[in-house]
Amino acid sequence: MPRYALLVEYDGGPFSGWQRQAGLPSVQGAIEAALAKLEPRAHTIAAAGRTDAGVHARGQVAHCDMEKDWDPFRLSEALNYHLKPAPVAIRACAVTAQDWHARFSAMERRYLFRILSRRAPLTLEAGQVWRVSHDLDVEAMHEAAQRLVGQHDFTTFRSTMCQAKSPIKTLDRLDIRAISTPAGTEIQFDVRARSFLHNQVRSFVGTLERVGAGAWTADDVSAALEARQRAACGPVCPPEGLYLMGVGYPNNPFAAGQ
């Protein structure tokens, strides 16, 4: 059975998350249902990251096994046709080796978190960013964020429901910048690592927002990290500002088509 890599974009708002769940809408379930329209049977796909309810993706990667030798472009077009009207799109498709795996072959995950600082309620950006009504000190947030970069025990910053065997992870980047947009001042978090714990990015952002608001200091962030206790974490921010932007592999399966 030939294996195909899928580059997937979606709005996570209508879904209970990536992972298929009985009786609930999921991105995985939507794609598997579309695959069943092309080859009528049960399909099971795997993804690089199991995003939570409300989390978006511009560069999620999944793989599927097909019985027929599909032209990758025709497969992506057929899937996009059957995915309508769900807010899910296959941006690219490529044939891969049989042992290539969207999750286990990945070397890096890249996330973006967006905060919009403004008093007015959201209209066009509703469901796409986390709105805070107060100003944030971006320099203080960035300084505090660097306390988290590197290899650490991130017990404080993972959900109590996290199923990872170890809380020790290496955070490669956590950069924060402010940009001016027509909607207001947007604060962007560029977060990169080989892998993440459950709720790790949202725990980082919620804690660092407290630094930007003046309620915490960089030393408070360090103390929370060193505590290795979930209770020491700041508030966990909502999901709607989080995007899985891309997944890195030793050899990019989509390189020839981009």
Side-chain angles (χ1 to χ4, degrees):
M1 298 177 71
R3 177 162 291 187
Y4 296 87
L6 306 174
L7 182 63
V8 189
E9 178 180 283
Y10 51 86
D11 179 340
F15 298 104
S16 60
W18 166 269
Q19 191 169 3
R20 184 193 332 109
Q21 299 179 55
L24 295 173
S26 68
V27 183
Q28 180 183 9
I31 298 174
E32 290 173 349
L35 286 167
K37 297 285 187 179
L38 306 180
E39 293 185 359
R41 57 181 174 84
H43 290 261
T44 300
I45 62 175
R50 296 175 178 177
T51 54
D52 289 337
V55 176
H56 315 297
R58 292 196 182 277
Q60 171 74 281
V61 178
H63 75 255
C64 63
D65 294 323
M66 305 296 284
E67 294 176 348
K68 175 184 172 182
D69 286 322
W70 286 81
D71 173 78
F73 176 75
R74 288 178 62 86
L75 179 57
S76 64
E77 289 288 283
L79 285 173
N80 283 331
Y81 176 82
H82 289 294
L83 280 164
K84 294 182 293 187
V88 182
I90 308 302
R91 292 179 50 201
C93 177
V95 179
T96 68
Q98 196 63 39
D99 62 351
W100 185 89
H101 196 284
R103 178 184 176 190
F104 299 119
S105 299
M107 302 295 292
E108 179 188 59
R109 278 87 172 167
R110 301 184 296 275
Y111 282 91
L112 168 71
F113 197 96
R114 301 170 60 204
I115 294 178
L116 198 59
S117 175
R118 74 181 213 180
R119 293 285 301 177
L122 298 176
T123 56
L124 299 178
E125 297 284 357
Q128 305 300 310
V129 299
W130 176 26
R131 180 186 72 90
V132 299
S133 59
H134 46 272
D135 293 333
L136 295 173
D137 185 335
V138 177
E139 289 187 8
M141 294 166 71
H142 181 78
E143 176 191 347
Q146 304 321 298
R147 307 286 183 96
L148 301 169
V149 174
Q151 186 180 79
H152 302 285
D153 180 330
F154 285 111
T155 296
T156 298
F157 298 97
R158 74 164 175 171
S159 166
T160 55
M161 297 183 294
C162 182
Q163 297 178 354
K165 294 181 180 179
S166 171
I168 298 174
K169 295 287 183 181
T170 299
L171 182 65
D172 296 320
R173 177 182 295 181
L174 208 178
D175 290 340
I176 306 172
R177 64 171 185 164
I179 60 173
S180 179
T181 77
T185 300
E186 183 172 312
I187 296 93
Q188 297 185 344
F189 296 69
D190 177 7
V191 193
R192 306 188 182 200
R194 181 174 186 133
S195 61
F196 291 90
L197 301 165
H198 187 208
N199 276 169
Q200 187 176 359
V201 176
R202 289 170 56 197
S203 297
F204 285 162
V205 174
T207 297
L208 293 168
E209 186 275 337
R210 293 289 77 205
V211 175
W216 284 46
T217 67
D219 287 342
D220 291 329
V221 174
S222 293
L225 175 66
E226 292 165 7
R228 299 183 181 89
Q229 294 181 6
R230 182 60 174 170
C233 185
V236 178
C237 71
E240 57 263 25
L242 183 57
Y243 297 74
L244 175 54
M245 296 297 290
V247 185
Y249 295 94
N251 296 296
N252 180 3
F254 309 107
Q258 295 184 343

